[in-house]
Amino acid sequence: MSDFFAHETAVIDEGCTIGAGTKIWHFSHIMPDCVLGEKCNIGQNVVVSPKVVLGKNVKVQNNVSIYEGVTCDDDVFLGPSMVFTNVINPRSAVNRKNEYLKTHVGKGASIGANATIVCGHDIGKYAFIGAGAVVTKEVPDYALVVGNPARQMGWMSEFGQRLNFNEEGIAVCEESGEEYKLENNRVSKI
């Protein structure tokens, strides 16, 4: 008896590690040598490639492809049909498996539906990537980015609320009441 749930149509290859309480839904493929943390939710038609590492409580919505080279910290949200890449210049006739670039997604970050994360560009903790965005450069902690190519439009709290900083560089999350400081174009929670 395993301590995770997998729908009967899911394909789980030998050699992967799956944490307790994780759920894997219809037609998803979990490949060898990947690690899924505790209490993850892997939606329908998801591919998790070899050597991918997902932390605890990662939510992966339907139709997401997570390719080799990707790591996600705890509490990351990957929206429907978003995708990571792992080669910057793919060609069908050229084998570039030794050129995979790494992408790290920080704790609590959210990536919206249909977003594309071009490989080699890390996503900071609690960053918020808008639906349909195409990320072509590193995203700072707490940053809100949208568009193609993605551009920073502001800052987000750990609760997913837009932060409005006063003249002293202080903002209060409307939902949690937590305070944040903006200094040298970097945000930190006080």
Side-chain angles (χ1 to χ4, degrees):
M1 185 83 182
S2 62
D3 52 358
F4 64 89
F5 167 82
H7 188 269
E8 63 185 21
T9 61
V11 175
I12 300 174
D13 293 340
E14 282 196 42
C16 55
T17 303
I18 301 173
T22 289
K23 295 178 181 175
I24 302 166
W25 293 101
H26 307 68
F27 312 112
S28 289
H29 187 183
I30 311 303
M31 299 177 84
D33 301 321
C34 68
V35 176
L36 308 183
E38 297 175 2
K39 298 182 181 176
C40 290
N41 191 66
I42 308 299
Q44 180 174 302
N45 197 39
V46 170
V47 174
V48 181
S49 293
K51 301 178 186 165
V52 164
V53 177
L54 303 182
K56 296 176 184 174
N57 196 42
V58 173
K59 305 289 190 256
V60 182
Q61 302 300 297
N62 297 344
N63 306 311
V64 172
S65 297
I66 310 173
Y67 294 120
E68 187 170 332
V70 173
T71 57
C72 295
D73 287 344
D74 296 347
D75 303 320
V76 165
F77 176 87
L78 303 178
S81 301
M82 67 79 51
V83 68
F84 293 96
T85 68
N86 61 4
V87 174
I88 202 75
N89 58 341
R91 291 288 195 199
S92 178
V94 180
N95 184 335
R96 292 202 163 102
K97 288 185 178 181
N98 61 340
E99 298 177 24
Y100 289 165
L101 296 179
K102 297 187 182 319
T103 301
H104 179 78
V105 182
K107 177 178 175 62
S110 293
I111 301 177
N114 293 305
T116 299
I117 310 302
V118 175
C119 57
H121 304 294
D122 294 341
I123 309 299
K125 68 182 180 180
Y126 301 104
F128 199 99
I129 312 302
V134 178
V135 173
T136 60
K137 61 184 178 181
E138 189 165 321
V139 177
D141 295 349
Y142 300 100
L144 166 64
V145 300
V146 298
N148 181 5
R151 289 183 172 79
Q152 187 171 350
M153 303 301 290
W155 304 97
M156 299 291 275
S157 76
E158 292 180 11
F159 276 70
Q161 298 296 323
R162 188 93 181 249
L163 293 172
N164 297 304
F165 289 92
N166 63 21
E167 293 172 359
E168 290 80 38
I170 303 295
V172 177
C173 173
E174 293 178 6
E175 187 173 351
S176 69
E178 296 172 336
E179 293 186 343
Y180 295 81
K181 175 82 173 163
L182 174 61
E183 194 170 40
N184 298 322
N185 207 31
R186 292 209 168 289
V187 170
S188 58
K189 191 165 78 169
I190 301 174

